[in-house]
Amino acid sequence: MSMEYDGRRAGMSKEYVSITRRGLLGSAVAVAAATVTGGPATAAAAVARPRDPGRVPTVWREFTRTPFTHPQIPYVGRAGHRGGSARFPRRPVVADVRAYGAVADGTTDCAPAINRAIAAAGRAGGGTVLIPPGTFRIDDLIRIGHSNVVLRGAGSDRTKLYATRNLTELIGVYGSRYGGDKSSWSWAGGLIWLAPTARWDSLVAAIKDKAWPFEGWTGNKRDEWETLTTVAPATRGSWSVTVADPRPLKPGRLVLLRLADDADHTLLEHMAGGGPGPEAYYWDDKTKLTSYVPYEWPVRITRVRGRKVTLERPLPLDVRPEWDPRLTTHVEPLTGSGVEGLTLEAVETPQSPHLLDKGYNGVVLQCAYDCWVDDVTVRHVDNGFGFVAASACTLRRTRVAGRGSHHPYFCREGSHDNLVEDFTIEQRTVPAPPNTQLHGINVEGLSSYNVWSRGDLRMGTFDSHRGLPFANVRTDITVDNNGRHGGDASAGPLFGARFTHWNVRVTNGRAGLMKIDGLAPYSATVGLNEVTEFDQIDVPDFTGDLHSRLELYGTTDVVRPRNLYEAQRDL
């Protein structure tokens, strides 16, 4: 695959791809590529790191030969908005919130004015809504419900939204569909909430009726879909499928690939890598986990030739007849929308007891595809940034700060192919109250092929939260590993197959959820400093050989390439 071809597919201009190639030649990735292939590294790269050429693990050499089907490392080179494009769209300015009554005095409730401006942009077919420098009080949540609408502040250090109320006050108590006294605001909803208008309206109506909903692409009862066509068998890593009826399909259309499980749970076994361990695992009593299937994977069609349909990304799993594979419709998506350049600060209140959050939540993307958040800080929130049934979205230059959060980042309800890069979780400014919990960067609920890249976790952990997430990557991250993972036992295994931790620097030497060769099936832990077990200690969910890989253990920042996602993107 040439660099020009990959760049155009990701939505980059030809000029940008050329610049990217020149930059690559002077990077550590070029050194790694030269080491793998035996070719010469550039002089610029040699000058940049004359005394530390790094070390290339065997597993990377293997991956470059079979990038779409490697048994331990997933292909995530297309994760994020528009296939990982380095540029977000610059939509024309269509509204300034001041023209709708917003005042940067810190005391006037500006939520109605901001929402009116956003609605006007939606009616216009999209565009940018500007929020100038200053502090704007909001006594309601901010909603982006139309595609191609961007809410843009003057920068996270210049524009502040000061939120005074939580989601329990604004919408109501939100119980769990699985019972108990838990608050679903502990893992759902945001004070800036990106979700298609019709989907948001139906969710809020269900919450007010206490008919606790499913939150994903097929409606509150998972019944809002129709079959477009059935799909012939195919293998993981294929970029195309053969369909029975191509007539409903066209390039650019977003569809769901739907895979149902069978009575023997062979789909769940496949997500866990297959073999004796997953086959021996007892799935039937994992009722929360089994409620997550069918697996629903949103993807755009790029080409239709006869019955052969080419997809924007390679298949995440095998497609087998016993899983009733089909392409289906879904609720109207939110696409092409974003939030940029602002801080959302909630009124400072004590963190709530575990799972009883009131909903001082940050920015959430729900039923969103090809959306983004850039240069945004959230402060004093219960939960920071969330993907809820969101796919192909990017969070870039985001930060969680203030009194401490339950989930600084969460990724759940079947969220796939998302990218979180250049992110920071700051140290909390006040001690944690009793009976609270800190997770970190969360992933759960069959979410797959997500990437966390270039991160600084000054507190927290890599929270694989049960629910069999699989094929997720954490790379080039520094972490003070002092958080704990969560997850109900009925949600099943912590890890599915192809989790990869690559170039991770653990500052407090704690192994839990960092060194996963003894926990995660068909996983890779590469370039991790020496760590030891203490505090929360887990045992593997699957018996027998986990087929995991451990390379360059006991090193710090010597693995080449340094960043697995960037190296895959540049292959």
Side-chain angles (χ1 to χ4, degrees), residues 504-527:
V504 176
R505 302 166 291 273
V506 183
T507 59
N508 64 343
R510 178 180 163 217
L513 300 171
M514 306 288 127
K515 185 177 182 290
I516 57 173
D517 59 296
L519 283 177
Y522 289 91
S523 66
T525 304
V526 182

Side-chain angles (χ1 to χ4, degrees), residues 463-483:
D463 174 33
S464 294
H465 206 94
R466 301 200 178 275
L468 197 67
F470 65 95
N472 296 287
V473 168
R474 292 124 170 185
T475 183
D476 196 8
I477 296 172
T478 301
V479 53
D480 185 18
N481 185 24
N482 61 1

Side-chain angles (χ1 to χ4, degrees), residues 2 11 109-110 154 181 198 204 349-351 358 371 391 401 474 480 524 570:
S2 71
D109 176 17
C110 297
D181 60 355
V204 170
T349 59
Q351 185 178 346
K358 298 294 186 182
C371 294
S391 292
R474 292 124 170 185
D480 185 18
D570 291 332

